[in-house]
Amino acid sequence: MKTTILLFSFFAQLAFANTTDVITPSESEKKEYLAYNRQIIQSSSECIQNYWKTHVEFFNKHKVSKYYGSNNPNLKTRDQRIAALKKAGAPTSLVDQLESTSCIGMARACMKQAFLGTKNEVIKDLWNRMDKILVANGADGSVLANNLQTLGWKILYWNPKPEENTSWDKQDVKNLTGVKVVKWDSGIKNSKGEFVYHSGWGMHASRYREVMKKDKYYVSKIDDKTTLVNFGSVLPESFKRAPFFFGVAHAGYHVFPGFYGEVIEAHSSRQLDSINNMERGAFNPLNGGSPMWSKTEWYRSGIVAVPPEF
């Protein structure tokens, strides 16, 4: 029996993201950013933690999530959300308290709040320019990481156990065998319109070789290919000092912001009555931690952007 899932326009980002799509801040703009860096990072960190606190409190009280997946086709309209609340046994009066979210959506909202919260025109302009590029590239997490890099952030390649790359590749493809595409914007499919393969999956081995030989992952230039490589299930203490980081898996498909070695991630297509619309855990992808896996998406390598000074 085939598993049916919805694959929306966020797949397009993998086809169109461009490593050259970055801002070119002047030296004075970089200096201005660094003056506000700690404030921006602290604000971003507090924001994702507040998302998590609000999510847990709301779900515990109402048994539905305040944050619903922005790509769930059954929750697109107000009437659909009212119907979902009714089905879950929750008061339909909650409908106007619900907010849509996604992995990139939550991270983007928190970073926007942090940049604009400085009330500094230079910093606000830097964010607006970066965000414009992000939107133009299908909200690809790698593109935002690349733009942060122009402001002094470092991009680290993460892969907890490279010796497993080949077996992970096989598992990725096996997980997607028989998955039928309901809606498709880009990628590789067969004559029946069924999902066959996509560059975000099954490429751990080739991405690893590219990083090691060319210091490049997908569309990102790698600054550090040792700190988060082969760490197994023990995250390096040096990485845990960063009060905020911006992680990416599956070549830009999934985003997982975090703080001090912990991850808080949102999901774009889960059900309203699922507490797992948002998840939290240690950055420990091979030992039951984050980024969390689904039935078809196993996140096991990618990049992480870490701010200056940490």
Side-chain angles (χ1 to χ4, degrees):
M1 182 177 180
K2 293 178 179 177
T3 301
T4 300
I5 62 174
L6 299 175
L7 304 168
F8 290 90
S9 59
F10 41 69
F11 281 115
Q13 67 196 38
L14 300 173
F16 301 119
N18 189 337
T19 187
T20 62
D21 281 353
V22 293
I23 61 173
T24 53
S26 66
E27 290 305 313
S28 63
E29 287 175 324
K30 291 179 185 178
K31 184 176 181 180
E32 192 79 6
Y33 170 78
L34 289 175
Y36 284 89
N37 176 61
R38 286 183 176 267
Q39 177 184 333
I40 290 168
I41 298 316
Q42 189 62 38
S43 177
S44 298
S45 179
E46 291 173 357
C47 180
I48 60 169
Q49 292 179 67
N50 286 335
Y51 259 91
W52 174 253
K53 181 181 178 182
T54 300
H55 166 69
V56 172
E57 290 177 350
F58 193 92
F59 192 92
N60 286 342
K61 183 176 181 178
H62 302 295
K63 305 308 176 188
V64 291
S65 179
K66 176 179 177 63
Y67 305 107
Y68 63 91
S70 60
N71 284 312
N72 188 324
N74 299 313
L75 298 172
K76 289 290 185 182
T77 68
R78 189 173 187 274
D79 287 343
Q80 286 178 311
R81 295 192 286 276
I82 289 174
L85 286 168
K86 187 179 296 184
K87 184 178 179 180
T92 57
S93 58
L94 295 174
V95 65
D96 293 324
Q97 296 182 47
L98 306 183
E99 299 177 31
S100 67
T101 193
S102 64
C103 61
I104 185 65
M106 181 185 69
R108 179 186 176 202
C110 283
M111 296 196 74
K112 176 180 179 180
Q113 176 180 299
F115 273 75
L116 301 191
T118 64
K119 302 187 184 305
N120 177 288
E121 292 303 317
V122 172
I123 304 301
K124 288 164 65 175
D125 181 62
L126 286 171
W127 172 259
N128 289 333
R129 284 152 57 191
M130 291 193 297
D131 195 50
K132 183 177 180 180
I133 293 172
L134 176 64
V135 172
N137 280 277
D140 185 320
S142 298
V143 171
L144 181 53
N146 293 351
N147 275 278
L148 292 170
Q149 191 178 40
T150 70
L151 297 177
W153 289 52
K154 301 298 183 185
I155 294 183
L156 288 66
Y157 170 65
W158 66 272
N159 184 323
K161 201 171 183 180
E163 65 190 71
E164 297 293 337
N165 283 335
T166 300
S167 62
W168 292 345
D169 288 346
K170 292 178 180 178
Q171 288 174 347
D172 277 357
V173 175
K174 183 179 180 181
N175 282 348
L176 294 170
T177 299
V179 174
K180 183 178 180 181
V181 172
V182 176
K183 186 173 182 179
W184 187 266
D185 288 314
S186 69
I188 303 172
K189 58 184 177 179
N190 63 21
S191 60
K192 297 179 181 179
E194 296 171 346
F195 190 100
V196 178
Y197 187 74
H198 199 282
S199 61
W201 285 264
M203 294 191 70
H204 299 286
S206 60
R207 300 285 188 207
Y208 176 77
R209 288 193 298 269
E210 185 178 41
V211 169
M212 294 302 139
K213 293 181 179 179
K214 300 180 180 180
D215 295 324
K216 180 182 178 184
Y217 174 89
Y218 179 42
V219 295
S220 299
K221 180 183 180 298
I222 301 301
D223 297 304
D224 182 336
K225 57 187 179 184
T226 58
T227 300
L228 292 181
V229 174
N230 207 30
F231 64 89
S233 60
V234 181
L235 196 63
E237 290 299 318
S238 60
F239 178 75
K240 292 161 74 171
R241 288 198 292 267
F244 183 77
F245 60 85
F246 180 81
V248 171
H250 275 177
Y253 168 73
H254 186 52
V255 168
F256 53 98
F259 65 104
Y260 296 123
E262 287 211 25
V263 168
I264 295 176
E265 56 191 321
H267 301 283
S268 65
S269 59
R270 298 185 182 178
Q271 301 303 314
L272 194 64
D273 60 353
S274 172
I275 194 171
N276 293 330
N277 275 2
M278 195 169 287
E279 296 180 287
R280 176 177 177 173
F283 181 24
N284 194 342
L286 297 188
N287 199 30
S290 297
M292 299 291 186
W293 299 350
S294 71
K295 291 181 179 179
T296 58
E297 299 159 342
W298 294 10
Y299 307 119
R300 293 179 286 203
S301 68
I303 60 172
V304 174
V306 178
E309 302 181 35
F310 298 102

